[in-house]
Amino acid sequence: MTTAQTGEVVKEPSVPATPSDQRERDRMRRRLARRRGGGWWPYLFLAPWFVGLFGLTIYPMLDSLYLSFTNFDLLTPAQWVGMDNYNRMFAEDPVFWDSVHATLVYVLVSVPLKLALALAVAMLLNRDLRGIGLYRAAFYLPSLLGGAVAIAIVWRQVFGGEGLFNDFLGWFGLNTGQDWISSPDTALYTLVLLAVWQFGTPMVIFLAGLKQLPKDVFEAAAIDGAGAVTRFFKITLPLLTPIVFFNVVLQIIDAFKTFTPAFVISNGSGGPLNSTMLYSLYLYKKGFTDLQMGYASALAWVLFLVIALFTAVNFIASRYWVHYDD
C-alpha cells in the first residue's frame, strides 16, 4: 500500500511469492525459533545457584521459622504451640539470659580489642622492609589456626592450673596456680583472648586500606610539622573509616556466631556456672543435645534479629563517623 500526494491510499498489486522467497522466509522462521529457544540457556547455567539459594538457604529459613512455633523433638511430628517458645525464652528460661549476657560481654570486649590490635599490627607491617611478606604471613597464621578444635584444646591447656600462662606470670612473681578455665570470673575472658589472637583477617583488610591512602597528604603534613600521632588521628584514621566500618560489621557478626572455642574449652557444658555459655552453644545444646528443635529454632531467629539490629545500627551510625572521598 502507498500514499499519493493527495493523501489517497493506493493499494499495490499483490505479487505471488517465488520459491526462493518462501525458502528465505522458512530460514528466518527457523532462526527466530532457535533464538527463542536459546533464551533459556542462561537460566540453565544459573540453575545450580538457584537450587542452592532455594534449597539450602530460603527453604531451611522458612522451615526454621515454622518450627520456631512448634514443639519438635526430631523424632515425632511437630506440634503447633504458637508463641510458647518465645514466651518461655524471655520469661521462664534463666539460662537464655546467661547466654545473652556472656555473648554480649564477649562481643563488646573482643571486637574492639581485636580491631585495635589488627590496626596496630597492620601499621607496623605497612613498611617496605626486607622479608616483610614473611612477617605478614606469620601474623596472619593464627587466623588460619584459631578456629580449629586443636587450637581450642591447646588453649585449654595453656590457661589450666599448670599451664603456660601461669608459668609466664611466674616470671614476674605473679603465679597463683589459678585454673583460669575453671573460674567463672575468668573463663569467658580466655575466650576473648583467643578471639583477639585471631586478628589476622581484619589486619589484612586494614593493610589493604593503608596501601590505598595518598602518600602526598602525609608528606605535606610532615612538612607542616605534624607529628606521627597527629598524622594518625587527623589523617590516617579519618581516611580509614570506611575500612574500620567494614571490619566492625564483619567482626560483630562473626563474634555473635562463635561456637567452637566455647564448646571445646567448656567440654560442651558452657561452664563453669554458664560463664562460657555463648548463644550459639546454647542453641546447639537445645537443638541437638536436648532434642528441642522447635525451641532451638526460636533461639536461632532471635539471634538473627539481634545481628540484623546491630548491623542496622552500625549502618545508621556510620553516617556520622565514616568519611568517604566524595
Side-chain angles (χ1 to χ4, degrees), residues 64-253:
S64 170
L65 180 61
Y66 167 73
L67 291 177
S68 70
F69 297 102
T70 66
N71 184 13
F72 182 47
D73 60 1
L74 295 175
L75 302 176
T76 57
Q79 299 176 349
W80 182 265
V81 294
M83 297 295 293
D84 286 358
N85 287 328
Y86 293 94
N87 292 333
R88 170 189 167 192
M89 187 188 312
F90 292 108
E92 304 172 5
D93 189 357
V95 183
F96 165 77
W97 290 110
D98 289 340
S99 68
V100 170
H101 176 262
T103 304
L104 287 178
V105 172
Y106 177 81
V107 172
L108 297 178
V109 176
S110 67
V111 171
L113 291 177
K114 186 176 185 178
L115 293 182
L117 182 61
L119 179 57
V121 176
M123 294 192 66
L124 290 176
L125 297 179
N126 187 31
R127 299 179 180 182
D128 296 327
L129 299 176
R130 186 176 182 181
I132 191 67
L134 181 62
Y135 295 135
R136 291 170 182 168
F139 279 103
Y140 185 72
L141 188 60
S143 290
L144 297 177
L145 302 175
V149 173
I151 293 300
I153 294 175
V154 171
W155 211 255
R156 190 170 58 188
Q157 299 299 324
V158 167
F159 287 94
E162 299 179 355
L164 293 177
F165 187 69
N166 278 331
D167 292 341
F168 172 75
L169 293 179
W171 294 348
F172 305 96
L174 300 175
N175 186 358
T176 60
Q178 179 177 352
D179 189 337
W180 303 89
I181 298 292
S182 300
S183 171
D185 296 327
T186 57
L188 180 61
Y189 295 99
T190 61
L191 297 180
V192 170
L193 285 178
L194 179 56
V196 173
W197 184 60
Q198 305 168 34
F199 64 88
T201 299
M203 179 203 72
V204 170
I205 297 173
F206 277 133
L207 191 57
L210 289 171
K211 291 292 183 185
Q212 302 301 319
L213 299 185
K215 294 182 179 179
D216 53 344
V217 176
F218 292 93
E219 293 172 354
I223 293 174
D224 290 341
V229 176
T230 302
R231 292 199 298 272
F232 174 76
F233 285 104
K234 298 294 185 181
I235 301 175
T236 303
L237 206 52
L239 292 178
L240 210 59
T241 48
I243 306 298
V244 175
F245 171 65
F246 180 77
N247 271 330
V248 166
V249 172
L250 286 188
Q251 293 305 316
I252 286 178
I253 294 174

